[in-house]
Amino acid sequence: MKPIPRRHFITLSAAGAVAGPSIFYSRFARPPLALTAQEIVDRVKRSIGGEWKPETIDGFKAGDPATVVNGIAVAAMATLTILKQAVRSGANLVITSEPTFYSRSDAATPPAGRRGGPPPPPDPVFTAKNDFIKSNGLVVWRFSDHWRQRRPDPFAMGLTDTLGWSKFRAAGDAAHVTVPALGLDALALDLKKKLNARGGIRIVGDPRLRVQKIGLLPGTTAIQAALAVLPDVDAVIAGEVREWESVEYVRDKVAAGEKKSLILLGRVVSEEPGMKLCAEWIKTVVPELAATWIPNGDPYWRPV
């Protein structure tokens, strides 16, 4: 057998140190009992319950599905910070609820304008993020539609668990709770503390309003959902809404003398507890590998 020249050995060693074992194994030798990202996703599809939708936002958004997985990181959004933390933890499969590349299409290049036209030039942020994913052998898989369709709603379950409201959930409906009566201002402060919110919480309604019945709408919410929930509750706690729809609707109800309120947590903050539950569920589907929830944290801050 012809010996490998020293300079070639150094090159291979350096590549393994930078890119990580996932790339080395996927290109050269698959370790015993290893699972690829595709095999893990196939397990998820078999275990999720219900039929997998042919048209869905869920799917691989970056990386090679044939990559052998060393560990799994779960987050509400695969930001660059989350990707770096995944690499440090030894995980190379990142499961995210939200887009990785800033739009519904999740394309690794800037999207064209609404009216079409020529493709826009390369963007340094898109490029740097995609290069980081490639150079570290990461695979990013979006898991939103099908995780959200589980019953009881895992996003509502996670939020009520984090807020200490598990015992207040309505029977068969995790998105409705009846809590001991408290002021709207006190409720907002409690949410801020328990969710570690820095600046994303916004409230519509009288701070002195007594709140007991609450509807939960984590994530992004169309006005139709708010209209369906609001009549039966004192407050709706949502992730994000269109300001000119649900916000103004609730504001007009308050102006008309109705005792209603709306609390917006921010989309990511509202989804974090549900993705923490997702990480726990993934552990039952793939017990061979470590699955870790990595919190994004509130992206906003407020001036003092």
Side-chain angles (χ1 to χ4, degrees):
M1 178 177 174
K2 187 175 180 180
I4 300 175
R6 186 173 183 274
R7 65 179 182 275
H8 289 176
F9 177 82
I10 293 173
T11 301
L12 285 174
S13 299
V18 173
S22 63
I23 292 181
F24 182 85
Y25 284 136
S26 64
R27 291 180 181 175
F28 297 100
R30 176 171 170 163
L33 303 178
L35 291 170
T36 66
Q38 183 64 65
E39 288 169 332
I40 290 171
V41 168
D42 290 342
R43 279 198 196 181
V44 170
K45 290 181 177 181
R46 291 193 297 268
S47 305
I48 192 65
E51 186 178 352
W52 195 264
K53 300 175 184 178
E55 295 184 8
T56 176
I57 57 176
D58 294 346
F60 290 104
K61 304 302 177 180
D64 183 359
T67 299
V68 172
V69 175
N70 307 314
I72 304 169
V74 180
M77 184 174 287
T79 63
L80 188 56
T81 299
I82 292 294
L83 297 176
K84 289 179 178 179
Q85 287 181 288
V87 171
R88 286 196 292 269
S89 72
N92 60 339
L93 173 60
V94 179
I95 297 177
T96 174
S97 173
E98 295 300 338
T100 301
F101 292 105
Y102 323 110
S103 68
R104 183 180 178 86
S105 67
D106 245 355
T109 56
R114 291 186 178 180
R115 298 181 181 179
D123 178 88
V125 176
F126 279 82
T127 301
K129 191 170 191 179
N130 200 39
D131 287 348
F132 183 86
I133 291 170
K134 289 180 178 179
S135 64
N136 286 279
L138 297 177
V139 182
V140 181
W141 185 63
R142 189 173 182 188
F143 186 37
S144 180
D145 280 349
H146 294 86
W147 180 238
R148 190 176 294 277
Q149 78 180 11
R150 282 177 64 84
R151 292 293 176 267
D153 177 1
F155 287 103
M157 290 283 288
L159 192 53
T160 51
D161 287 347
T162 299
L163 295 173
W165 292 350
S166 303
K167 62 184 177 182
F168 301 130
R169 286 192 290 249
D173 185 1
H176 284 80
V177 296
T178 301
V179 301
L182 74 168
L184 180 61
D185 52 355
L187 173 60
L189 287 173
D190 191 50
L191 293 172
K192 179 181 178 180
K193 178 181 178 181
K194 291 178 178 176
L195 298 174
N196 295 315
R198 301 190 308 163
I201 294 182
R202 294 179 292 174
I203 305 101
V204 178
D206 185 346
R208 299 166 296 178
L209 176 69
R210 300 296 288 176
V211 174
Q212 192 167 20
K213 294 182 178 180
I214 300 172
L216 303 171
L217 296 173
T220 186
T221 302
I223 189 172
Q224 290 82 2
L227 290 175
V229 171
L230 198 58
D232 300 320
V233 300
D234 306 313
V236 171
I237 299 176
E240 68 175 12
V241 299
R242 284 180 172 171
E243 191 167 287
W244 50 270
E245 291 183 342
S246 301
V247 169
E248 294 305 328
Y249 178 82
V250 174
R251 188 155 70 151
D252 282 348
K253 288 185 79 70
V254 174
E258 295 197 35
K259 295 180 178 180
K260 301 293 181 180
S261 59
L262 173 66
I263 300 177
L264 300 177
L265 303 175
R267 183 165 178 163
V268 169
V269 170
S270 74
E271 290 183 340
E272 296 242 75
M275 293 311 288
K276 183 178 181 180
L277 276 187
C278 182
E280 295 300 318
W281 181 77
I282 290 291
K283 291 177 184 178
T284 68
V285 177
V286 194
E288 303 96 320
L289 293 170
T292 305
W293 170 65
I294 304 179
N296 289 86
D298 190 343
Y300 300 104
W301 61 272
R302 290 185 183 275
V304 177

